[in-house]
Amino acid sequence: MNGFADHGLDENAFGDKAGGFRENIRTFDAFPKTKPTYTRRTSTGGYTTLILIFVSLFLSSSEFLRWYRGHETHLFSVEKGVSHQMQINLDIVVPMYCHDLHINVQDASGDRILAGDLLDKNPTNWAHWVDATGTHRLAEAKYVKEEEEDTHVGHVLGEVGGRRKKKFKKTPWIGRSSGAGKSCRIFGSLEGNKVQGDFHITARGHGYMELGQHLDHDAFNFSHIINELSFGPLYPSLLNPLDRTYVTTDDHFYKYQYYLSVVPTIYTRSPSPPPTIDSVHKTPLPPDSSNRDTVITNQYAATSQSHPVNERTIPGIFFKFDIEPIMLTVREEREGFLWLMVRVVNVISGVLVGGGWCYQLAGWGRELLGRGRRIRGGREGMLNGRVYHDEGDEE
């Protein structure tokens, strides 16, 4: 009965070999193999493969760029530490003679600072500043994007990170042309209490009571150009809401009022917690290697309420500022390299699997369309259940 046994053959020799770890582990193979003789390569499959490769490279590159740029997180917290003073940086041009202007600072604690004695006042030409590159009218929409760039960590650190404190640029030579010296540039930095306060620019003999001094009303012109207005360390390359703005008026009695909300801000790439702020508002971080990834400064939001006034009201330029009790930490973070590898593997595998499915569905669609065309054309044979007879068989 057993022909193999009659001829001295072993039936087990023609099946899978039993025993052994390598032979038994094959039962767990989740990747079935197909012999090359049962596969067929087509030009359509080649084009599809090239498309999938390009898509995978494009998406993998975008994932790499996204990982390299990192992402920003914004954290609001109560300001830590005790700070007492804050530096105010001002650079403004007013079309009046310098000796006709008075600048004062007064805060909620009652302290009054004679800012005119601490700030520099240089005669200058109005046209030189109003026509400068980048100078624009207040609230001009096209400069909002440029201001928005200065709120990102990469841009801020690229501009000021690791650099020493900057200084105001020099006042240009005014020459001897008509109108030379009829405007005044007021610039410099001064220390004030870190409390709510205001500083204002008024005309001589108006504002605070001063004996023997009174400026004729026809000389009033409080049009102005703000080149720099910031709080904390001076970083001229950072653009604040009022920087490079100007306003003009033909009224002699005009009151410009700006309301500023100052928020202490830290820009950092460092994963460690931000340093405690004590008197850092007046002294920037030293430019050593440990602090090149951190910049401590202040942001502010500004609103303007300006209008003509009567002769019983004091005209001038008034800045009222309030210090918010919170701190904003803007941190640029980048995930680990393993996170990037997982994302790239997911992208490539998703493209290949999805592309394979689409290719198979397209193949099935072509097959169904081809079968329908063959049926409509009457080209079915005996294998499909239809038999076609010759005309001679009908006799």
Side-chain angles (χ1 to χ4, degrees), residues 63 66 77 81 135 138 159 180 195 210 220 237 280 282 374:
E63 286 292 334
R66 180 183 176 185
S77 61
T135 304
L138 184 63
E159 291 290 333
V195 295
E210 296 166 308
F220 291 176
S237 56
V280 74
K282 65 178 181 179
R374 289 194 299 269

Side-chain angles (χ1 to χ4, degrees), residues 44-58:
T44 304
Y47 288 129
T48 304
T49 303
L50 290 177
I51 293 174
L52 294 181
I53 291 175
F54 286 131
V55 172
S56 299
L57 290 176
F58 174 76

